[in-house]
Amino acid sequence: LQTDWDEDAAEWVVRVESAAGVEEVRGWALISAIGPLSLPRFPDFPGAGDFQGRVFHSNRWPSDLDLTEKRVAVIGTGASSMQIVPSIVDRVGALHVYQRTPQWVRHIPRFKDAMTDGARWLLQNVPFYAEWFRFTMLWRYGDGLHRTLKRDPDWPHPERSMNRMNDRHRVQMAEFIEAELEGRPDLVAKCLPSYPPYAKRILLDNGWYQALRKPQTDLITESIERITAEGVRTEAADRPYDVIVLATGFRVFSNAARLNVTGRGGVKMADEWAGDDPKAHLGITAPGFPNMFFIQGPNTVLAHGGSAIFTSECQSRYAVGALVRMLEEGLSSVDVRREVHDAYMDRVDAEHRDLVWAHPGMTPWYRNKAGRVAAALPWKLIDYYQMTYEPDFGEYEVRKTG
């Protein structure tokens, strides 16, 4: 319900609602680990409440849902849709997928292969094999890609790619799309993106294009005008459905602000992060909110690949390191200095200006309404690891107990 900083007690007061009523919990520190991908985003379509069938966000899939021979609409073609559509296409009677923007997709030939007994034995028994395996995954799908996403000012085709290597990735993925959709030029025209690879979240093929080819599937690129009692109306047609699935993403920019947090001096996080513009030093702390730490906070989404577990570990180590040091030194509160926070955010914004997520050719969910990249991490993982390895209390306003 509400989260307030008690200056006199140097504690956070959290009021939560349970079956027993409103409960008050006090704590010396507050850690928000709700992340950016937990609160569904519902599109504001006219008539959204008129539909007489079942309509729900993909994040809230009904446990009793039976799609056998049903007419189903899936609105959205992002990561959720790419997982849902291939898994239901053979059960439904008709499947219409509504697309606003086509996606770049990576072909993973052994995507669904089970781990072999030999590979499992290596991970469990050979010293440092698991660590080596993890490192290769982090490098191959993370920092190894980072340099390919920076703008080359001398590259002659900035409208389609960021640099020569990024263009090579474009060619590889385009060839895969064309091969998967061979004989269907209508689908190729709808599915081939015009913006650079990785400008939006890169997706993994899960049988997506094969699902689009099936006779019961139709990929619709017309703009949705409204939801009707029977289904969906576009500029071209009214189409009836039994079920509408909203694979429309999440409200990524509210993050911890939705916890109704009031910090030092009555400053409200919702006001500080207004306009879908959350900001935090290292993605972990914000001025005016002492002893509060974010896990998967602003500008920490791994848009270039890698592991959210890794960045969560970095942030957790930073937060715990700060709390341990506070105990050891008898400190009541630490609050990141405004000038330190603002200087870090200036560095983040400057770095993003030369990265693919700022490309003008599309609107990724990493950018807010003002066009600032407010979700994605601009740094390599190894750099972020070094930045967050140990908190520097010289960057904080520190108060002692008593």
Side-chain angles (χ1 to χ4, degrees):
L1 289 176
Q2 191 171 338
T3 308
D4 299 304
W5 173 251
D6 183 336
E7 187 69 60
D8 293 334
E11 290 180 338
W12 284 101
V13 183
V14 181
R15 294 176 180 86
V16 295
E17 187 173 7
S18 66
V22 176
E23 179 183 358
E24 182 177 290
V25 180
R26 284 180 170 266
W28 171 50
L30 178 65
I31 298 177
S32 168
I34 58 176
L37 301 178
S38 57
L39 188 64
R41 185 177 70 84
F42 292 92
D44 188 22
F45 294 129
D50 297 340
F51 183 58
Q52 297 302 300
R54 299 192 73 168
V55 56
F56 53 88
H57 193 277
S58 57
N59 179 255
R60 299 176 178 176
W61 196 278
S63 59
D64 63 342
L65 185 66
D66 182 5
L67 293 178
T68 306
E69 294 303 315
K70 294 291 194 298
R71 300 166 299 176
V72 179
V74 176
I75 299 177
T77 54
S80 297
S81 182
M82 195 156 288
Q83 295 171 71
I84 292 167
V85 168
S87 68
I88 68 173
V89 66
D90 291 326
R91 282 185 282 147
V92 303
L95 179 60
H96 291 174
V97 183
Y98 286 82
Q99 173 181 279
R100 183 180 61 177
T101 308
Q103 305 279 2
W104 285 114
V105 176
R106 269 285 181 199
H107 175 43
I108 309 295
R110 300 171 61 187
F111 185 60
K112 296 184 179 179
D113 285 5
M115 181 176 288
T116 65
D117 290 340
R120 196 181 303 276
W121 185 91
L122 288 170
L123 289 166
Q124 293 173 343
N125 295 282
V126 176
F128 304 111
Y129 183 84
E131 289 82 356
W132 172 83
F133 185 83
R134 187 186 189 197
F135 169 75
T136 60
M137 292 298 100
L138 282 172
W139 180 258
R140 183 178 180 185
Y141 298 108
D143 285 0
L145 286 170
H146 191 274
R147 65 186 177 88
T148 74
L149 308 180
K150 273 204 158 190
R151 181 176 63 88
D152 178 356
D154 298 323
W155 177 243
H157 307 292
E159 75 289 348
R160 77 183 190 202
S161 51
M162 302 299 287
N163 50 57
R164 185 175 298 278
M165 185 60 73
N166 187 241
D167 201 60
R168 180 181 174 187
H169 290 166
R170 178 191 182 90
V171 170
Q172 291 171 344
M173 286 186 270
E175 287 176 347
F176 170 67
I177 293 172
E178 290 166 350
E180 287 286 290
L181 299 176
E182 185 178 5
R184 292 293 305 273
D186 58 319
L187 283 177
V188 172
K190 291 179 178 180
C191 291
L192 199 60
S194 59
Y195 55 85
Y198 295 93
K200 293 171 72 72
R201 179 180 178 182
I202 205 73
L203 303 179
L204 306 181
D205 181 46
N206 187 35
W208 171 255
Y209 298 109
Q210 293 306 308
L212 295 183
R213 293 183 67 110
K214 300 210 170 192
Q216 66 270 36
T217 309
D218 193 5
L219 182 63
I220 298 169
T221 57
E222 305 152 13
S223 297
I224 294 175
E225 292 187 350
R226 66 178 295 110
I227 305 297
T228 68
E230 293 77 27
V232 176
R233 176 178 300 164
T234 68
E235 54 195 358
D238 279 292
R239 297 179 177 88
Y241 301 109
D242 302 302
V243 177
I244 297 176
V245 182
L246 302 172
T248 48
F250 299 87
R251 292 172 54 188
V252 298
F253 302 118
S254 58
N255 210 294
R258 74 184 212 238
L259 300 177
N260 195 16
V261 181
T262 301
R264 177 167 278 162
V267 61
K268 294 185 179 297
M269 186 170 288
D271 294 336
E272 290 288 292
W273 290 1
D276 286 342
D277 198 24
K279 297 178 180 180
H281 178 53
L282 302 172
I284 302 174
T285 57
F289 302 93
N291 301 4
M292 184 174 186
F293 305 90
F294 311 117
I295 310 299
Q296 296 298 312
N299 283 114
T300 62
V301 169
L302 283 177
H304 75 284
S307 169
I309 295 173
F310 179 84
T311 51
S312 294
E313 289 172 342
C314 292
Q315 295 147 11
S316 298
R317 182 180 55 244
Y318 186 95
V320 171
L323 296 176
V324 167
R325 186 171 168 187
M326 289 175 68
L327 283 170
E328 292 174 342
E329 298 181 14
L331 306 179
S332 62
S333 68
V334 293
D335 189 2
V336 66
R337 298 180 185 277
R338 172 66 68 177
E339 64 271 18
V340 171
H341 168 276
D342 291 352
Y344 174 78
M345 292 312 307
D346 287 344
R347 289 173 55 211
V348 166
D349 293 342
E351 188 72 12
H352 271 308
R353 280 193 281 272
D354 281 334
L355 289 169
V356 67
W357 310 297
H359 192 275
M362 73 313 81
T363 53
W365 60 261
Y366 309 131
R367 291 207 304 250
N368 64 16
K369 292 178 288 189
R372 191 179 81 82
V373 181
L377 182 79
W379 319 117
K380 293 179 180 178
L381 292 170
I382 184 61
D383 294 335
Y384 189 65
Y385 171 83
Q386 293 172 335
M387 290 176 188
T388 58
Y389 186 78
E390 186 176 15
D392 177 3
F393 276 12
E395 297 179 334
Y396 287 80
E397 178 188 336
V398 176
R399 298 187 183 180
K400 284 189 172 289
T401 303

